[in-house]
C-alpha cells in the first residue's frame, strides 16, 4: 500500500525556517520523482518544488520560493525534504507531498502538514 506521511509543519514567525519531511512506503522510492505542493485557504493547490529520480540531480522551484526553499531527497530513508528559509506570511498553507512516476504509473499524495507564518 502506497503511503506518504508529511511532518515538520508548525507556527513560525516571519523570517524563520522550517524543514518539512515526507516519508514514503509501499513503492520503490528511488524510482519516483517527488514534488511538494501547497494550498492556502480559499486558493487552489499550487506547485512548490520538484526533485528528479533517482539521484535528485534536477530540481525545479516555483518562482515565489526560489532562493528560499530547497528540496532534497534521501533514498536510504525513503524521504524527501523541503527546507524553507526566510518564511513569509504568504507561505502559510497546507503543504502536500506527491510521488509521481510515468511507468509503472504512480501519482500518490500525503495528507499534508500545516505551515503557518505569523507574528
Amino acid at each position: 500500500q502506497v503511503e506518504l506521511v508529511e511532518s515538520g509543519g508548525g507556527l513560525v514567525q516571519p523570517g524563520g525556517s522550517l524543514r518539512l519531511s515526507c516519508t514514503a512506503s509501499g513503492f520503490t522510492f528511488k524510482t519516483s520523482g517527488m514534488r511538494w505542493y501547497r494550498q492556502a485557504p480559499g486558493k487552489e493547490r499550487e506547485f512548490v518544488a520538484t526533485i528528479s529520480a533517482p539521484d535528485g540531480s534536477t530540481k525545479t522551484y516555483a518562482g515565489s520560493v526560489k532562493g528560499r526553499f530547497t528540496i532534497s531527497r534521501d533514498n536510504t530513508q525513503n524521504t524527501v525534504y523541503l527546507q524553507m528559509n526566510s518564511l513569509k506570511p504568504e507561505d502559510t498553507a497546507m503543504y502536500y507531498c506527491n510521488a509521481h512516476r510515468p511507468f509503472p504509473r504512480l501519482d500518490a499524495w500525503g495528507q499534508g502538514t500545516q505551515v503557518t507564518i505569523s507574528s
Side-chain angles (χ1 to χ4, degrees):
Q1 180 178 348
V2 173
E3 188 174 25
L4 299 172
V5 179
E6 300 98 333
S7 61
L11 170 64
V12 297
Q13 293 185 344
S17 298
L18 280 174
R19 189 177 80 153
L20 306 184
S21 301
C22 170
T23 300
S25 61
F27 65 99
T28 306
F29 179 77
K30 66 181 180 181
T31 68
S32 297
M34 299 298 296
R35 297 169 177 162
W36 285 97
Y37 286 79
R38 66 186 182 186
Q39 187 167 19
K43 295 188 176 181
E44 293 189 355
R45 190 171 297 189
E46 66 173 358
F47 166 80
V48 175
T50 186
I51 187 167
S52 61
D55 60 0
S57 57
T58 301
K59 303 175 185 181
T60 305
Y61 299 91
S64 58
V65 307
K66 210 168 193 177
R68 301 188 297 123
F69 291 11
T70 302
I71 190 170
S72 61
R73 66 187 298 157
D74 183 346
N75 292 338
T76 67
Q77 300 295 321
N78 286 359
T79 300
V80 61
Y81 302 98
L82 186 68
Q83 177 67 44
M84 307 187 295
N85 299 328
S86 303
L87 285 162
K88 306 175 181 180
E90 51 263 43
D91 294 319
T92 295
M94 185 73 78
Y95 282 70
Y96 297 92
C97 174
N98 169 254
H100 61 96
R101 186 183 60 209
F103 185 82
R105 177 167 171 75
L106 176 67
D107 185 20
W109 293 86
Q111 82 291 347
T113 186
Q114 178 67 40
V115 171
T116 303
I117 313 303
S118 175
S119 55

